[in-house]
Amino acid sequence: MRGHEGAVSSISVHSSGRYAITTSSDTAQLWDLDTFQRKRKLNIRQSVGIQRVFFLPLSNTILSCFSDDSIFAWESDTLFCKYQLPVPDCGPKISYKAFAVTRDGKSLAAGGRSNLLHLWCLDSKQLVRVIQMPTQVRTVRQLEFLPDSFDGGASQTLGVLSQDGMMRFINIHTCKLLFHIGSHDDAITAVSVSPNGRHVVAIMDNGSINVYSVQSLTQELNKPPPSQVAVVSGAEADQLSNLKVKVKSEVVQRPAKSLGCRTQVKILRPPAGSTAEDKENELPAGLNKKRLVALLKAFGEYPAKYRMFVWRSLLCLPENHAAYSSLTDKGLHSAYLTLHDKYPIKSHKLQRGLQRVLSALAHWASIFGEVEYLPLVAFPFVKLFQNNPMLCFEVVATVIVNWCQHWFEYFPNPPLNILSMAENVLAHHDKELLQHLTDCGITSQLYVWPLLETLFSEVLTRDEWLRLFDNVFSNHPSFLLIACVAYVTCCREPLLLCAQKQDFEYFFHHRNNLDVGAMIKEAYRLMSSTPADIHPQTTLSDFSPLTKGQYPVFNHYPKFIVEYQSREREKIRLQEMEYLRERQEVSALRADFVRRQAEEEAYYTQQDLLQKAEEQRRNILAQEEEKLTQQRKKLAAMKRELKVKELQLLDATRRRFLKHQQDLRTSQIKRLDQEIGRKMDLRERETAAAVQDLEVRQMELEAQRRRLEQNLLKEQECMGREVEEEVELRMRKAEREEESYTELLHSRGTNLQALEESLAEACQLGLESDWQREVAERLQQVDAEQERKRERLAELHRETLAEEERLADTMRDVAGRKWDEVMSTRAQLQEQRQPSCSAHTDGQRQTTRRPHRQSATTAVHVGSAAAGPAVKCNTATNMVCLNSSSPSESTSTNFSLDRGRAQLDSSERQLLKEVRELRQKLATRAREGSSASSQSVYTLSSVSQ
């Protein structure tokens, strides 16, 4: 699992099922099961290992138990430390390994490498009781509480699984042994209790699973609790001895036998075996060597899935991280810097792992930097433990310390003492084979030492090698030497057929057809049948694991030889470095010389090639120039031909173009003739329409003039009549007033005569002034009205003149443009048709243009007399009539607009003359009327006086 360097020992899941805690010896990690992500990681010192970390039931508390027997409680949400259980100061150290918590989470039971159990109250954080198990219990492997229906979660029955494979169930309050399951022959390795506490499932040592019914085992469970429960407080340290209670083994109840199964229950009795043997068979991680050996003999090998775990337990690896780090921090050893040259490996990872392990061994003991066959010994283990270099180092070191005893006493020679032991065993069991080897001159250095220095890795396959070392690690270190003799004896038939030394060397360095199972059985037979005086077991020591904390000192080798070889090796290394440096310098000088020589040869070769290339290029250039000259001549001839063809094509094109242009012009002339005829017809129609319009306009003007004259006469007569009537009316009024005044004067008295005369004179003067003012105003109105009429006539006259002038100009412009277009078209046609007779054509064009020019200057005079229009012909100005024919030879009729213009001018002048005469008459009449009115006024004034 990611984040754990070692194997995961336990997994605890929260009651909500959302979080889980995984525990290994180096760390503990909190996981979120919804996202499968790691939330927190517990970091500890390397000197303090973790035993177990788990959730408490029905709470958010996490308990962490360490190898120094310290127990901490943490809040799972905030990871805040809630409390710490005090470590007992008195009494032996238990080294907690197994823990159990009641369902209510209030009590904790802990046990370890002792027959004592500690019972803690988590509410008071105090040690409540110390329970002493029977003497047969030396190590507690597992603790489990049995739930009860009447205890409310505070379980009272505790199951204790010990190293002997038996699980004893006790009452933690009465300390009575209720029952037990399992036996020495049918040992239990692990136990699980059902949630209701009615069944117990046990995994047996032989691989079977037994299910026990708790009701059939005891009748003490599921009973109502007693009325009172006494709890012993453990507040003071000196009361620890009072807490210790021994478990009573005399009250064991046998379960009732059932018909379907047979359950074995035994009374607690002290075992008859020795304690030292059990201690020797006890392995770390709860394994038992005796049971492992029995399993190995039954199946021939350990399960592949658990092989590495079993090997670690058998070899009792200390896992000294700090000591191994101090060795690896020294870097690669100088003896193994060039390891890949001597032992090339395809996998770079495997190569680097082998280098690191060998360097660590060389830093651990200096002799391992001089041993040439050490890579052969370490390579199989490096390949197996390539993902964990520390375990690989410790496995190789353990193999060297135990199974390679006395190998280095004759260094740098092979271990003759070990080889002689193997030869003695072979001599005892197969003298014929030994005699054959001796006759062939084959010693133990040839048939035993190749197997030992490679640890059988050359002659066995991977699976065969693993099976062999399952047995090697499970037996005495002398088993490896006996296995070499067994390999030789199992191959005696092919060996007896070999007679050459090369055949023996090939045989012991290559794989052969051998049954490994038979060889292992032969090794066990030799182990048991070899006499003690020649047995290697008497010479070799028992298995001794590596020490914890620091690795042991390894000095079982001749130090002076190793030191001498080290000095010699260092001297040789320095000499090699010097030699390599000088060789590198010589190589550099030689390379420089060779480079310069090659450059010089290349230079001269290049110069020769350049000269040859130059001559060749010159020849090629001369040939190319000659070819180019010939090609130019051909090209010039082709150009001349192309030019001639081009000129011919251009001439033909020009002729075709001229013909096309002539056709186009002919068609254009035809179109122009048609257009001229059409426009002449249109002009004649327009001229006739214009003449008719002018006549109609003249008639309209004449009618308008007469209408204006009649209106003026009528207005003058009306005005005269009004003036006369007004004068007559005023005269009669004056006469009446005069008569009235006369009568008044006569009727009044003489005294009032003067006053009346003055009043009459004043009235007369007022009347005269009023009449004169009215006459003046009336005359002013008449003059204003006449002035407006004159202005209107003048405006109408100006508009008529402007309109006639515009019409005449337009007609003259149109006629001039048409005649210019006709004459220019005819001139072009004449030039195209008769280019050689240009003079004759010019004469005709002049004679043709003259009558047109004369016709353009003719004037038409239209009379308005009653006898009808008269046409005047002025020979001095060449004036012609409107209907006269043109003197030109052309058949087309030409009209002149000057005739209408002259007639219009004469009529206009006559009209203006008449208008002036009318104005003079009106002015004369107005003056006469004003003089008459003034005279009448004078007469009235004189009369009034």
Side-chain angles (χ1 to χ4, degrees), residues 440-442 446 495 498-510 512:
C440 295
I442 305 302
L446 191 60
L495 289 176
C498 295
Q500 301 295 328
K501 184 177 181 180
Q502 294 80 3
D503 298 338
F504 288 101
E505 291 178 353
Y506 182 86
F507 185 85
F508 288 102
H509 284 280
H510 293 81
N512 302 291

Side-chain angles (χ1 to χ4, degrees), residues 820-864:
D820 290 341
E821 291 178 0
V822 170
M823 297 311 296
S824 62
T825 305
R826 288 183 177 181
Q828 292 177 2
L829 290 174
Q830 291 298 330
E831 288 178 359
Q832 291 177 1
R833 290 176 181 177
Q834 297 177 1
S836 62
C837 301
S838 60
H840 179 68
T841 308
D842 292 338
Q844 286 185 354
R845 187 168 60 251
Q846 291 176 1
T847 58
T848 305
R849 288 182 180 177
R850 188 178 294 112
H852 288 287
R853 193 178 298 113
Q854 292 176 358
S855 64
T857 58
T858 57
V860 179
H861 301 277
V862 180
S864 60

Side-chain angles (χ1 to χ4, degrees), residues 33 35 87 343 361 426 476 486 525 532 647 738 746 756 783 794 796 843 879:
L33 298 182
T35 61
V87 180
Y343 298 100
L361 290 171
L426 180 61
H476 192 269
R525 188 187 68 81
L647 291 174
E738 186 177 359
H746 288 291
E756 290 177 355
D783 292 338
L796 290 173
M879 299 293 290

Side-chain angles (χ1 to χ4, degrees), residues 505-661:
E505 291 178 353
Y506 182 86
F507 185 85
F508 288 102
H509 284 280
H510 293 81
R511 295 176 184 174
N512 302 291
N513 296 326
L514 177 67
D515 186 3
V516 178
M519 186 194 78
I520 294 173
K521 291 181 180 180
E522 179 66 16
Y524 278 110
R525 188 187 68 81
L526 295 178
M527 281 284 292
S528 60
S529 61
T530 301
D533 55 345
I534 61 173
H535 202 291
Q537 187 172 0
T538 58
T539 305
L540 300 179
S541 303
D542 293 338
F543 174 78
S544 176
L546 299 179
T547 57
K548 278 188 173 292
Q550 294 293 332
Y551 296 116
V553 177
F554 187 83
N555 55 3
H556 303 294
Y557 57 90
K559 296 181 180 179
F560 67 94
I561 295 177
V562 174
E563 292 175 357
Y564 173 76
Q565 284 196 351
S566 299
R567 290 193 300 269
E568 289 296 324
R569 185 182 295 277
E570 184 67 20
K571 186 186 297 183
I572 291 172
R573 189 179 65 82
L574 294 176
Q575 291 177 358
E576 285 181 352
M577 291 178 62
E578 183 68 20
Y579 169 73
L580 290 175
R581 186 181 61 79
E582 293 178 355
R583 183 176 179 180
Q584 187 175 2
E585 291 178 356
V586 172
S587 299
L589 292 174
R590 182 175 179 81
D592 189 15
F593 172 74
V594 171
R595 180 180 58 79
R596 290 182 179 179
Q597 186 177 4
E599 289 179 355
E600 186 177 358
E601 292 180 357
Y603 173 75
Y604 286 117
T605 304
Q606 187 177 6
Q607 293 298 323
D608 294 339
L609 291 175
L610 288 175
Q611 290 179 0
K612 293 180 181 179
E614 186 177 0
E615 293 178 358
Q616 187 176 1
R617 295 295 186 277
R618 288 178 180 176
N619 296 331
I620 293 173
L621 286 175
Q623 294 176 2
E624 292 295 331
E625 287 179 357
E626 185 177 357
K627 291 180 180 179
L628 184 59
T629 304
Q630 294 177 0
Q631 289 179 357
R632 284 177 180 175
K633 291 180 181 180
K634 293 180 180 180
L635 185 60
M638 292 175 66
K639 284 183 177 180
R640 286 194 297 272
E641 293 178 359
L642 290 174
K643 192 67 175 178
V644 171
K645 290 182 180 179
E646 185 178 358
L647 291 174
Q648 293 175 356
L649 290 173
L650 287 174
D651 189 15
T653 304
R654 184 178 60 82
R655 292 176 182 177
R656 189 166 55 253
F657 180 73
L658 290 175
K659 184 178 179 181
H660 178 67
Q661 290 292 330

Side-chain angles (χ1 to χ4, degrees), residues 218-451:
T218 180
Q219 302 296 329
E220 296 292 331
L221 299 179
N222 295 325
K223 290 184 178 181
S227 59
Q228 294 182 354
V229 178
V231 179
V232 180
S233 175
E236 298 180 359
D238 56 358
Q239 296 178 357
L240 184 62
S241 60
N242 297 329
L243 300 176
K244 184 181 295 185
V245 181
K246 292 185 178 181
V247 177
K248 301 177 182 180
S249 59
E250 289 83 3
V251 292
V252 175
Q253 296 183 1
R254 296 181 179 273
K257 294 184 179 180
S258 60
L259 298 177
C261 61
R262 179 180 181 182
T263 304
Q264 180 180 3
V265 181
K266 294 185 178 180
I267 302 175
L268 297 178
R269 293 179 181 178
S274 62
T275 305
E277 183 180 357
D278 291 339
K279 187 176 181 179
E280 180 182 355
N281 291 328
E282 189 66 28
L283 296 176
L287 298 179
N288 187 279
K289 187 175 180 180
K290 183 178 179 181
R291 295 173 185 162
L292 289 176
V293 172
L295 181 65
L296 180 63
K297 290 182 179 180
F299 297 96
E301 60 179 341
Y302 293 126
K305 183 177 180 180
Y306 303 103
R307 176 176 280 115
M308 299 300 106
F309 174 70
V310 172
W311 283 13
R312 288 171 58 185
S313 300
L314 290 173
L315 299 178
C316 300
L317 300 181
E319 298 184 11
N320 299 328
H321 295 274
Y324 177 74
S325 298
S326 64
L327 294 176
T328 55
D329 291 343
K330 296 179 181 179
L332 296 178
H333 196 271
S334 59
Y336 298 107
L337 292 175
T338 59
L339 180 67
H340 58 278
D341 296 334
K342 189 174 182 181
Y343 298 100
I345 302 175
K346 292 182 180 180
S347 175
H348 296 287
K349 179 181 178 181
L350 200 59
Q351 182 79 40
R352 290 193 299 270
L354 181 61
Q355 246 179 342
R356 284 196 297 267
V357 172
L358 295 177
S359 299
L361 290 171
H363 292 308
W364 176 43
S366 58
I367 187 174
F368 297 130
E370 308 297 331
V371 177
E372 296 181 355
Y373 56 85
L374 186 61
L376 301 176
V377 174
F379 179 73
F381 300 103
V382 172
K383 198 169 183 180
L384 286 176
F385 296 92
Q386 55 182 334
N387 295 325
N388 197 333
M390 185 198 68
L391 292 180
C392 179
F393 168 80
E394 292 185 350
V395 168
V396 175
T398 304
V399 170
I400 291 174
V401 170
N402 292 278
W403 281 271
C404 299
Q405 300 179 34
H406 309 291
W407 279 28
F408 311 102
E409 293 179 357
Y410 293 91
F411 181 80
N413 298 318
L416 300 178
N417 51 349
I418 299 299
L419 298 179
S420 62
M421 292 181 192
E423 191 171 357
N424 293 334
V425 174
L426 180 61
H428 176 76
H429 292 282
D430 198 342
K431 294 182 180 179
E432 181 183 359
L433 180 58
L434 178 62
Q435 185 63 38
H436 175 72
L437 296 174
T438 304
D439 295 340
C440 295
I442 305 302
T443 62
S444 57
Q445 297 182 15
L446 191 60
Y447 64 84
V448 176
W449 183 238
L451 302 177

Side-chain angles (χ1 to χ4, degrees), residues 58 102-106 146-156 222-223 225:
L58 305 177
T102 57
R103 287 191 303 170
D104 57 2
K106 296 181 179 180
L146 278 179
D148 198 340
S149 302
F150 300 97
D151 57 6
S155 303
Q156 301 179 8
N222 295 325
K223 290 184 178 181

